[in-house]
Amino acid sequence: MLRTRIPLFLLTAVSALALTACSAGTVTEAPPRSAAPAEDRPAKVTVAPPAAGRPVTVTATDGTLAVVKVADADGGVLAGRTAVGGASWVSDRKAAPGTSYTVEITARSAGGRETTSRSSFSIPEADRVNKLTLAPGKNTTVGIAQPLSIVFDRPVTHKADVERQLKVTTSNGTEGSWGWLKDWSGRDRVDWRPRAYWKPGTKVTLDATLDGTDSGGGWFTRDYRSGFTVDATARVVKVDLDRKRLTVERDGRAVRTILVSGGTPGGDKRSWRGTAVLMAKEGTINMNSETVGLGDAYDKMVDHSMRLTWSGMYAHAAPWNARYFGRANMSSGCIGMSAADAASFYASVRPGDPFEITGADTKGTVAPGNGYGAWNVSWEQWRAKSALAR
């Protein structure tokens, strides 16, 4: 949402000319007093401009509040609630940094006389702004293991305050939980995963009403809304590194087996085990061993590349390893297959599909922040990662 930003020196000038104040003090609106009976005197209304991240408060004395409207310069309205008895009103949402608000009030005296008033105030700009990156992309279709993932540009120390503003709605009441972790990049991240794999066809919506929320490392100055749909087919890819075979299951039935070669045993070239989630289909890319700490082992263009972890594990075409498919694990950590198998397999899967990888000689289990490894912790352990569970 775009906002009108008002320099502080202009606010001072406007305050001097307007009928109301635009500062951290109170804004009082009331017609002149008269000699009328007390019950017929107009109500006295006070608007208390808040600090950033606090709700707007309006109070009335000698009467009640009939209508309160608080809107920003773009027409966005801060909804709110009037207390029992009508003497006060508090906005549901917080005032956002760098935003100007107009307050329109209709008040009613004890004798029923209505008066209207209008005032305005502005919240100073935030000194630090936090932004985020959402996955999966909006209006996408994903596999049954895809979490809803948010990575923040700046640190989040007020995790509970942020998590309270994140609402996930599903078309079938799916049980799930947020969990906080460190992304592979080192930045703060929070993922929402269901208790078990998504049911095919589930529709998921995120409403992140973060505008005006202080993350501790910076303020949010906008809301976010996103959503995705789970594929109608439940695909699971099972990789058995001991047998050097990859099996594709659709809706619980094995439909294809491919001979593969995994990471070389006994060192840094071993593959990861556990459940990895297909992050992206990257096509033909350059793979350089120096970027993953393996020296000058390789530097080549690789076809049909499917990313499984941030640390560099892929499934891809590896025709140079043809003699090892189904016989030995001799790759540099990836899951290699023939060019023909890779082409058809690449076409049959989508981001969000789980790869369940087993094998006796691996370098460990995929960590939650190394791609989407949340499935490698138990449901109880995952729920404990929620800031609201502490």
Side-chain angles (χ1 to χ4, degrees), residues 145-360:
Q146 175 70 52
L148 200 165
S149 184
I150 303 175
V151 179
F152 300 91
D153 284 2
R154 299 185 64 87
V156 179
T157 57
H158 300 168
K159 291 181 171 60
D161 291 343
V162 171
E163 189 176 330
R164 286 188 187 96
Q165 304 306 124
L166 306 176
K167 181 181 179 182
V168 176
T169 305
T170 68
S171 59
N172 52 20
T174 301
E175 181 184 6
S177 174
W178 290 105
W180 288 87
L181 58 150
K182 283 292 182 183
D183 186 63
W184 190 257
S185 65
R187 293 183 293 173
D188 284 328
R189 173 175 144 192
V190 65
D191 287 4
W192 197 96
R193 55 152 275 203
R195 181 168 187 164
Y197 291 155
W198 296 103
K199 292 181 180 178
T202 302
K203 295 184 183 301
V204 185
T205 301
L206 168 69
D207 283 300
T209 54
L210 290 167
D211 194 9
T213 300
D214 180 11
S215 71
W219 290 87
F220 296 102
T221 58
R222 57 162 291 190
D223 292 336
Y224 297 81
R225 182 178 173 86
S226 187
F228 59 90
T229 301
V230 180
D231 196 343
T233 299
R235 268 181 310 278
V236 177
V237 180
K238 295 191 174 182
V239 182
D240 186 336
L241 295 175
D242 293 333
R243 297 179 63 238
K244 294 82 178 174
R245 280 164 171 74
L246 177 156
T247 301
V248 180
E249 294 185 353
R250 292 179 184 167
D251 298 325
R253 182 172 63 90
V255 297
R256 185 180 184 188
T257 297
I258 298 173
L259 300 181
V260 299
S261 178
T264 304
D268 291 340
K269 292 184 178 181
R270 292 176 293 175
S271 299
W272 294 102
R273 68 174 180 272
T275 299
V277 176
L278 179 55
M279 300 175 66
K281 296 164 68 174
E282 297 182 6
T284 300
I285 61 173
N286 176 257
M287 290 192 180
N288 188 316
S289 55
E290 293 183 351
T291 64
V292 291
L294 294 177
D296 59 355
Y298 57 86
D299 184 2
K300 62 180 65 180
M301 299 304 293
V302 180
D303 295 330
H304 308 300
S305 299
M306 295 160 272
R307 180 181 283 275
L308 298 175
T309 70
W310 283 126
S311 62
M313 185 167 73
Y314 286 78
H316 61 74
W320 56 87
N321 256 1
R323 65 187 181 279
Y324 298 119
F325 299 147
R327 300 178 57 193
N329 292 318
M330 293 296 291
S331 81
S332 295
C334 294
I335 300 163
M337 63 197 78
S338 72
D341 283 338
S344 58
F345 178 61
Y346 185 94
S348 71
V349 295
R350 69 164 72 244
D353 287 346
F355 281 56
E356 298 177 352
I357 306 166
T358 58

